Amino acid sequence: MVSIDKANQTAVEGMMGARPILKGVAPARDVVPGMRPNLLLHAGPPIEWERMSGPLRGAVIGALIFEGLAKNEKEAEALVGKGEVDFAPCHHHATVGPMAGVTSASMMVYIIENETHGNMAYSNLNEGYGKVLRYGAYSEEVIAKLKWMNDVMGPVLAKAIEASGGMDIRALLSEALHMGDEGHNRNKAGSILYTTKLAPWIAQTAGDSAVAGEILKFLGENALSVLNPVMAACKAMADAAHGVEGSTMVSTMARNGTDFGLRVSGLGDQWFTAPAEVPDGLYFPSYTSADANPDIGDSTITETAGIGAFAMAAAPAIVTFVSGTPQDALNATLEMYEITTAEHSHFTIPQLEFRGSPTGIDIRKVVELGITPRVNTGIAHKDAGVGQVGAGLVRPPMKIFEDAVRAYAKQYNL
């Protein structure tokens, strides 16, 4: 007879004991397992082209133009229609990506190694706010920025990270939580720490002071610079908790803009899915909830690992971006203790007298208490080619947890 509590303790200790180190930057085709020229990775659970949301379709079109496989939207859609493009979830290739999460073979990706358990994880580079590929935009301006990031910034970051000897992302996150971040939608402190740690190495390795200045300006002005390596670090931590026999702990939460998907440590690689909700939040001028696409992105890997909305008490200022009050931020974290297995041994919250953040979502507690996880998120326009229109809060559908509990009972003959 499997001891569920013991299995969950093993899983959560694996998650909290993982030590993700940023080791480098390289083209996806060189490092991401199974990557190939006609494969596009996307956020969330598996989905076919016909069911893809507007922002995910837009990102697919942009990636095909970026790769030089299509010249415009019409050619990109024709290529997909002929079956010449393969799609797969980022999570099936040890990768995560914010929002649409589309990653193509030539794109530079961060390389994270969990030095405790030896597993690897990857994520693309962050483009900043507004009209960007990850929100489904693919204008000439968007493609030009991607090419600069790939051809100029990426190689310099690769040299700088190698010269630095690597960066401990768990330690960076621990410090950022004490500086007002929650690690998902608010990464201002973490991005400053990230840029500051890399700055001397960028200056030494760029080979051109103007290029070094341009890169540092780009990183310094982007309050989400560190989000992507943080997501890859959380992926490495969550994967360290996956595959524990008998565990009811969630090891993956991800959305593709159509479905919200869930995987459970003790249930292998099976996805549990249901329609994603539209986030409740604040919108940029001239946009409303009528413009919003349902929730999208792999960034819920942060909540899966015990930060993001789960550590919202550490980031009261985030309410100016996602709506609510500072008391709401505190209440969000307190509620998440009800459905989790442990308090994180490295991620602590000053506002709660340095209590560890709630970590390790237990599907049994979610269903028994009727409390679904909280998620902080950006909001994409529902149409391809537009981009971000706001940011807010959302919860996964209860159905995926109920389905997972039923599947667990069947697999373990309960």
Side-chain angles (χ1 to χ4, degrees):
M1 181 70 178
V2 173
S3 168
I4 297 176
D5 289 339
K6 186 175 180 181
N8 285 345
Q9 190 62 31
T10 299
V12 80
E13 285 178 359
M15 181 180 285
M16 296 190 299
R19 185 165 177 254
I21 306 295
L22 176 59
K23 288 293 184 74
V25 170
R29 62 174 175 265
D30 294 342
V31 292
V32 172
M35 198 68 199
R36 52 187 187 275
N38 73 331
L39 176 63
L40 293 184
L41 305 182
H42 63 78
I47 189 169
E48 62 277 15
W49 170 256
E50 290 74 18
R51 294 186 66 243
M52 285 185 186
S53 62
L56 182 48
R57 283 186 173 224
V60 165
I61 291 166
L64 293 174
I65 295 172
F66 170 79
E67 289 288 336
L69 297 173
K71 293 179 182 176
N72 51 44
E73 177 183 350
K74 187 177 180 181
E75 285 191 12
E77 291 183 336
L79 204 62
V80 173
K82 288 189 289 186
E84 296 183 11
V85 180
D86 293 337
F87 299 106
C90 292
H91 274 286
H92 291 187
H93 294 262
T95 300
V96 282
M99 303 311 289
V102 170
T103 304
S104 59
S106 298
M107 287 183 185
M108 289 286 195
V109 295
Y110 287 109
I111 304 167
I112 294 281
E113 179 180 0
N114 167 15
E115 290 196 340
T116 306
H117 305 93
N119 59 302
M120 309 293 290
Y122 310 89
S123 182
N124 51 9
L125 310 184
N126 194 281
E127 310 159 74
Y129 293 97
K131 290 188 176 182
V132 290
L133 187 81
R134 71 178 187 278
Y135 279 93
Y138 54 85
S139 64
E140 289 184 9
E141 175 188 1
V142 171
I143 302 302
K145 183 195 283 188
L146 281 175
K147 289 184 176 178
W148 176 81
M149 291 168 58
N150 223 56
D151 299 340
V152 179
M153 185 173 75
V156 172
L157 288 180
K159 292 177 185 175
I161 293 167
E162 181 181 5
S164 73
M167 189 183 301
D168 187 332
I169 300 297
R170 188 180 69 183
L172 182 148
L173 267 171
S174 300
E175 189 173 1
L177 291 182
H178 292 180
M179 298 168 68
D181 281 359
E182 43 77 272
H184 183 171
N185 259 19
R186 186 176 173 87
N187 279 292
K188 289 189 175 184
S191 293
I192 291 171
L193 291 170
Y194 168 76
T195 304
T196 302
K197 290 176 185 294
L198 280 184
W201 304 106
I202 289 173
Q204 288 183 28
T205 59
D208 183 313
S209 61
V211 170
E214 193 177 12
I215 293 169
L216 288 171
K217 184 174 185 293
F218 181 81
L219 294 175
E221 291 180 348
N222 179 10
L224 294 175
S225 288
V226 80
L227 173 62
N228 296 43
V230 161
M231 284 177 56
C234 289
K235 169 68 173 167
M237 291 188 275
D239 279 357
H242 188 63
V244 176
E245 178 75 9
S247 173
T248 56
M249 210 175 86
V250 173
S251 54
T252 307
M253 292 196 295
R255 316 84 94 202
N256 56 33
T258 301
D259 301 319
F260 199 119
L262 174 81
R263 295 196 298 188
V264 178
S265 175
L267 292 176
D269 292 332
Q270 181 179 1
W271 286 94
F272 301 91
T273 64
E277 304 283 343
V278 173
D280 180 20
L282 300 177
Y283 288 85
F284 298 161
S286 80
Y287 294 109
T288 70
S289 59
D291 300 302
N293 193 79
D295 195 23
I296 183 169
D298 285 333
S299 53
T300 34
I301 195 67
T302 57
E303 278 82 9
T304 307
I307 57 171
F310 284 47
M312 208 166 159
I318 196 174
V319 299
T320 62
F321 189 55
V322 299
S323 78
T325 66
Q327 185 62 46
D328 291 334
L330 192 66
N331 291 342
T333 296
L334 293 174
E335 184 185 39
M336 294 300 95
Y337 285 114
E338 300 293 321
I339 59 170
T340 46
T341 302
E343 298 183 9
H344 208 290
S345 51
H346 296 277
F347 301 149
T348 58
I349 300 173
Q351 289 82 347
L352 296 176
E353 299 185 358
F354 295 95
R355 188 176 178 185
S357 65
T359 304
I361 303 161
D362 187 338
I363 57 173
R364 298 175 304 169
K365 294 181 179 179
V366 171
V367 173
E368 180 183 356
L369 299 174
I371 300 173
T372 48
R374 291 174 178 260
V375 175
N376 293 340
T377 186
I379 304 174
H381 197 283
K382 62 185 178 184
D383 296 332
V386 180
Q388 184 176 9
V389 296
L393 306 167
V394 73
R395 292 181 189 255
M398 178 60 84
K399 180 179 184 303
I400 58 178
F401 295 92
E402 293 171 341
D403 289 348
V405 167
R406 279 192 284 269
Y408 184 94
K410 182 178 181 182
Q411 179 165 324
Y412 290 94
N413 297 317
L414 298 179

